Amino acid sequence: MFDKVFNYHLKPVQKICLTALFISLTVILQKVVAINYIPIMPFVRVSPGGPAMIIFSSIFLGPVYGLIVGMASDIFGYLIFDPKTFGFYPQITAIYSILGLVSFFVFWFVKKIKNEKLCMIIELASLLAMAVGISLFFILNDDITLYSTTYHLELWQKISMPVALLFLTGILVLVLFLMRRNLEKQKISLNMWQISFASFLLEISVMVLFGSFMKSLAFNFNFFIIAICQLVVLFINVPLNTFLIYTFMRLTRRFQNNEIVRQ
C-alpha cells in the first residue's frame, strides 16, 4: 500500500537490507559528522544529513521502516559513541522515532497540494517571520542558558544572527530555483517546493515543537529556550534536508515505476 504513494517498488529483503544501511549511515551522520560548536551559535548542535536520512528512509521504505531507522540509529548511536557517564533518554529516541514515522505522511499530504505557489508563500513568509522573532530575542537578551551552560552573547553575535538567518533563507530560495530547472527533466514524484515545504513542516512539528517538549522533559529545562535554539537549527536543516532528499530521490529513481513521472 505504502509503495504506491511515491511509486517505489522494493522487495521485503531489499527493505530489510536498506534499513540496516540507513541505520548505519544515520548513526555516522548524527554522531561522527555532527557539529557541536559554531562560533555564532555555540548553544546549538547540528547533525548534517542525519534527519534527512531518517526522513528519506520513511519516504523510500515506508513509515514503519522509517520509525525503525529513527529509533535504532539513536539507540545504537548512544551505545557506540556517547560516554557511558551520560544517561540514556528515551525522550530523545522518541523524537527521531516520530520523525521516521510521520515523515511519510507529511510528504504524502504535501504531494496532494498542487498549488506550488501556496507552499512557497507559506514557507517563505513563515521563515521571514521566524527570522525577525529570533533576531529580536537574541538582540534583547545578553545571556542564554541551555543545558546548564550560560552563554554570553557578544554584540557581534547579535548582529550576525539576523544576517545569518536571512542568508540561509536566501540560500534556500536560490537552491530551490536552480535545482527546480534540473528537476523538470527528472522522473521524481515531488517537485522542489514540495520537498522543501514538507521538510519545513517536519522541522516545525517534530523537531521544534515535539522535540523541544521532549528535551524539556528529559533535562528539566525551559521549553521556550530550547525551542528558540531548535528554530535556529531549522534554518540550517530545511535547505540541507531539501537538497539531500532531492539527491536521494534522484539516486533511487531506478526503484520507481518508469511509466510514472512527476506530477
Side-chain angles (χ1 to χ4, degrees), residues 73-135:
S73 62
D74 186 71
I75 294 174
F76 286 129
Y78 166 77
L79 294 175
I80 297 172
F81 292 102
D82 287 354
K84 296 303 177 286
T85 53
F86 288 4
F88 173 74
Y89 296 96
Q91 297 95 330
I92 307 302
T93 304
I95 298 172
Y96 296 105
S97 301
I98 293 299
L99 179 64
L101 176 65
V102 305
S103 293
F104 179 92
F105 300 102
V106 171
F107 272 79
W108 171 80
F109 169 75
V110 171
K111 184 181 178 183
K112 298 294 183 181
I113 302 176
K114 304 299 182 181
N115 193 332
E116 182 177 313
K117 291 183 179 180
L118 177 63
C119 297
M120 176 181 66
I121 292 172
I122 294 175
E123 181 176 354
L124 291 182
S126 300
L127 287 173
L128 291 174
M130 285 187 285
V132 172
I134 294 170
S135 299

Side-chain angles (χ1 to χ4, degrees), residues 92-251:
I92 307 302
T93 304
I95 298 172
Y96 296 105
S97 301
I98 293 299
L99 179 64
L101 176 65
V102 305
S103 293
F104 179 92
F105 300 102
V106 171
F107 272 79
W108 171 80
F109 169 75
V110 171
K111 184 181 178 183
K112 298 294 183 181
I113 302 176
K114 304 299 182 181
N115 193 332
E116 182 177 313
K117 291 183 179 180
L118 177 63
C119 297
M120 176 181 66
I121 292 172
I122 294 175
E123 181 176 354
L124 291 182
S126 300
L127 287 173
L128 291 174
M130 285 187 285
V132 172
I134 294 170
S135 299
L136 288 175
F137 172 82
F138 284 104
I139 289 172
L140 297 175
N141 288 275
D142 295 325
D143 300 286
I144 179 173
T145 300
L146 185 67
Y147 304 135
S148 301
T149 303
T150 299
Y151 302 92
H152 178 70
L153 300 176
E154 304 290 345
L155 178 61
W156 69 269
Q157 289 176 306
K158 295 184 179 185
I159 297 174
S160 301
M161 181 62 69
V163 175
L165 296 180
L166 291 175
F167 173 78
L168 290 169
T169 303
I171 289 294
L172 173 63
V173 174
L174 181 63
V175 168
L176 290 175
F177 276 109
L178 290 178
M179 293 177 63
R180 187 177 182 277
R181 296 181 180 180
N182 189 38
L183 186 65
E184 297 293 341
K185 304 175 183 178
Q186 309 297 331
K187 295 180 179 179
I188 298 178
S189 58
L190 294 165
N191 63 49
M192 287 304 300
W193 283 106
Q194 287 174 317
I195 296 173
S196 178
F197 187 56
S199 300
F200 171 75
L201 292 178
L202 284 169
E203 280 291 318
I204 285 291
S205 60
V206 178
M207 304 307 291
V208 176
L209 296 178
F210 180 73
S212 298
F213 177 69
M214 286 290 103
K215 289 179 180 179
S216 67
L217 290 180
F219 305 113
N220 195 27
F221 293 138
N222 188 294
F223 168 84
F224 177 74
I225 298 298
I226 298 177
I228 288 290
C229 294
Q230 288 295 149
L231 281 173
V232 174
V233 177
L234 176 147
F235 281 82
I236 301 173
N237 279 350
V238 170
L240 184 61
N241 290 350
T242 299
F243 172 77
L244 291 175
I245 292 169
Y246 161 78
T247 302
F248 296 153
M249 294 184 77
R250 283 195 60 186
L251 293 174

Side-chain angles (χ1 to χ4, degrees), residues 15-41:
K15 290 188 176 184
I16 294 173
C17 293
L18 287 170
T19 298
L21 175 62
F22 288 165
I23 291 172
S24 301
L25 291 174
T26 304
V27 169
I28 294 172
L29 293 170
Q30 294 274 55
K31 298 297 182 178
V32 179
V33 188
I35 302 173
N36 294 305
Y37 179 82
I38 302 175
I40 188 175
M41 42 185 180

